[in-house]
Amino acid sequence: MYFIPGYIYKEQDKKGTYLSSWLKENRIQIEGKEEESIIKNLEKGCPNLDTEIKKFLNEQEMLISAEEFNNTLNQAVQALDKTMILTLMPTEACNFRCPYCYENHHAITMNESTVKAIKKMIQNQSEIQKLQINWFGGEPTLCPQIIEEINSLAMEKFDINQENFKSFMTTNGFLLTKEVFMRYYDLGVRTYQITLDGWTHDKTRYLASGEPTLDVILNNLKEIKSLPKDYCFKIILRYNILENNRDVSWYNYMNEIFGDDDRYYLTVFAVGDWGGESVQSLKLLNSDQEKKEVLEYHKSYIKNLGFEEIPDYPDCVGGGMCHAAYKNGFVIRANGKIQKCTVALDNPVNDIGYIDENGEVFINDDKNYRWYKPDLKYSCYTCDKVLKCLNQKCPYSRLKTNNTKYCENEMERFL
C-alpha cells in the first residue's frame, strides 16, 4: 500500500497546486485539473505504482510505502538518539508554597558525589551530538553553585553557538535578579518559564512564610528586560487558570510592560490535579470541554495582542515529543534517583535508575525502553504531526492508562 505521508503539505496559489515535503524540503507543482483530482484520490492511498504520476511522486518521496516510511522513521529516531536531555533537580526544597504544586518539597539538595556523577555522565558521552539541560526543582535558583559547575562543563564540551548545547530553567523567578540572570546567561541558560498567576498571583504563589511574591518577580523581570537586545533569550510567562476565569485584563497589563520586547512570551494552562493534598482546596476547570473553551478564549486574546505563540509542535523532528520519550532523556533528582517524567515523581513506573553514594550511574535499559519504545500506529502515518510527535507527546499517559493510541486530545484528557 502506498500513501502520502503526513509531512507532505498541499498548497495552492494563483499559479496552481503544490506538494511540499516538510521533511525533505522539496516542492513540486501539480498542473491541470485531472492531476489535481488524481492527487486528491491518492490521499486515500493506492495498492501499486501503476501510473506515471504515481511513479513520479514516489521518486520525489511524496507517495511512499509503509516500508519506505519506516526507513524514514528509523533515520529520524536514530538522529534523536544522539540528543541527550537532562532535567536536573539540584534541590527539591522550594521557597514557595503553591497550593496546586504536586511536589513534597523535601529539603534535599544534590551532594558532591551526585554532581560529580552528572559531570562524568556528560563528559563521557561520545555518541551524543546535542545536549539539553533543563533546570527544575524544587526551586533551582536556590543552588547557583551546582548550576554553574554543571553548565560550565557542558559548555566546554558542546558548542552553544552551533546550538549543540541548550539550557532551560523552570523557576518561580523570585531570586532571579538581573545580576543572577546575566550570570546564568553566560552559563548558557537562555530560556525560562516563570509563572505569574494574574491579579490573584499572591493567593496561589506565595512564600513559605505566606508573604506575597508578585512585586519582587515583576521587578526582576523589568530589570532583565532592560538588558540590550543582543542578549538573545526567551522568557515564557505562564498563567495557571482556575474555574470560571475569563478575566483577560491581566494580559493587557503584561502587554504594557513586555509587549514591545519579542523576548517575552505569554502562555496559559489550566490547573490540573497533578497530586498533593492542597490542590483539593482549589476550584479547577471541570470538564475537558470547559478547559478547551476557556483556554482557547485566553489564547485567542493573547494572540490578538500580538504576542508570538509557542507552538505545541515546533517544526523539527521530535519537536512535539516529551523529553521522557527520548532514549537519552533523564530526570535526575536531588537524591540521585534517575527517572523519566517530572510529573510522576512518586510513581514507581517512573524509576529507571540511580546514582549511588560512590557516584556510579546505574540505568535499567528495560525500564528505560518502556518510555521511549516506538509506538506509531498506521493511522499516524498520514497525520501532519507524525514526525513531530511520533505518537510520543506523553508516554506517561500510555504507561498510566495502557492506552497504546493517544494524541493531543488524549493528552488533554490526561491533564
Side-chain angles (χ1 to χ4, degrees), residues 280-400:
Q280 305 302 324
S281 65
L282 302 175
K283 293 183 178 179
L284 309 183
L285 290 164
N286 294 315
S287 65
D288 294 332
Q289 185 61 32
E290 184 185 12
K291 284 183 184 179
K292 186 173 183 179
E293 289 177 358
V294 174
L295 287 175
E296 283 303 317
Y297 178 75
H298 282 257
K299 289 179 180 180
S300 176
Y301 196 88
I302 292 171
K303 184 177 181 180
N304 289 336
L305 285 174
F307 281 92
E308 185 177 341
E309 287 188 272
I310 301 171
D312 291 329
Y313 298 90
D315 283 335
C316 60
V317 175
M321 283 171 49
C322 174
H323 58 81
Y326 280 73
K327 177 181 179 180
N328 294 301
F330 305 112
V331 177
I332 303 182
R333 297 180 64 173
N335 60 4
K337 185 181 288 187
I338 301 177
Q339 299 182 322
K340 297 291 284 185
C341 174
T342 56
V343 174
L345 296 179
D346 296 324
N347 191 324
V349 74
N350 199 20
D351 298 337
I352 65 160
Y354 61 94
I355 296 173
D356 70 10
E357 58 186 12
N358 298 316
E360 294 297 322
V361 177
F362 297 90
I363 295 175
N364 185 307
D365 291 337
D366 291 336
K367 290 182 177 180
N368 187 28
Y369 181 71
R370 293 183 64 193
W371 286 84
Y372 73 83
K373 70 176 181 179
D375 194 34
L376 214 60
K377 308 303 177 186
Y378 186 76
S379 57
C380 297
Y381 288 11
T382 55
C383 175
D384 62 355
K385 302 178 181 67
V386 57
L387 291 182
K388 298 177 185 179
C389 89
L390 300 175
N391 201 24
Q392 288 280 41
K393 188 158 179 71
C394 181
Y396 180 47
S397 177
R398 167 171 52 82
L399 291 171
K400 183 179 180 181

Side-chain angles (χ1 to χ4, degrees), residues 98-104 272-281 343 346:
C98 308
Y100 47 62
C101 186
Y102 56 89
E103 296 190 39
N104 294 316
D273 185 354
W274 300 302
E277 297 180 0
S278 56
V279 72
Q280 305 302 324
S281 65
V343 174
D346 296 324

Side-chain angles (χ1 to χ4, degrees), residues 98-206:
C98 308
Y100 47 62
C101 186
Y102 56 89
E103 296 190 39
N104 294 316
H105 305 305
H106 297 305
I108 304 171
T109 298
M110 281 184 177
N111 59 32
E112 186 177 348
S113 63
T114 300
V115 173
K116 285 184 177 179
I118 294 170
K119 291 169 63 178
K120 183 178 178 182
M121 189 178 184
I122 294 171
Q123 188 65 48
N124 290 345
Q125 297 303 323
S126 58
E127 301 297 322
I128 297 298
Q129 297 178 353
K130 294 185 178 182
L131 173 66
Q132 177 176 313
I133 295 180
N134 303 325
W135 291 100
F136 197 67
E139 173 49 44
T141 58
L142 294 172
C143 302
Q145 183 57 43
I146 295 176
I147 295 170
E148 178 160 0
E149 195 170 340
I150 292 175
N151 268 33
S152 294
L153 173 70
M155 291 188 72
E156 289 177 8
K157 185 172 177 63
F158 295 89
D159 189 348
I160 191 170
N161 294 319
Q162 298 296 321
E163 296 193 345
N164 293 329
F165 172 61
K166 294 182 179 180
S167 191
F168 299 72
M169 184 180 292
T170 300
T171 171
N172 56 43
F174 192 80
L175 299 177
L176 193 67
T177 64
K178 180 180 177 181
E179 291 70 25
V180 170
F181 178 91
M182 292 170 68
R183 180 56 187 145
Y184 290 158
Y185 186 91
D186 290 339
L187 291 167
V189 186
R190 306 289 169 85
T191 301
Y192 291 80
Q193 178 173 276
I194 299 171
T195 297
L196 297 176
D197 275 354
W199 304 118
T200 59
H201 175 97
D202 287 332
K203 294 182 179 179
T204 56
R205 300 188 66 79
Y206 42 82

Side-chain angles (χ1 to χ4, degrees), residues 1-63:
M1 189 70 177
Y2 293 83
F3 60 93
I4 297 176
Y7 52 81
I8 303 296
Y9 294 93
K10 185 163 71 172
E11 305 168 292
Q12 288 182 312
D13 62 19
K14 294 180 180 179
K15 295 182 179 179
T17 301
Y18 304 86
L19 289 183
S20 302
S21 173
W22 167 77
L23 180 67
K24 304 295 182 179
E25 297 184 346
N26 57 329
R27 190 170 188 248
I28 62 172
Q29 182 175 358
I30 307 300
E31 299 179 349
K33 296 294 182 182
E34 184 177 346
E35 283 76 10
E36 287 184 19
S37 178
I38 292 172
I39 295 297
K40 188 171 183 179
N41 289 330
L42 287 177
E43 292 174 359
K44 303 174 184 177
C46 63
N48 49 52
L49 304 176
D50 55 0
T51 66
E52 290 303 315
I53 191 169
K54 291 178 184 177
K55 292 176 183 177
F56 173 70
L57 291 173
N58 181 252
E59 290 172 358
Q60 298 298 313
E61 299 184 63
M62 293 186 174
L63 181 68

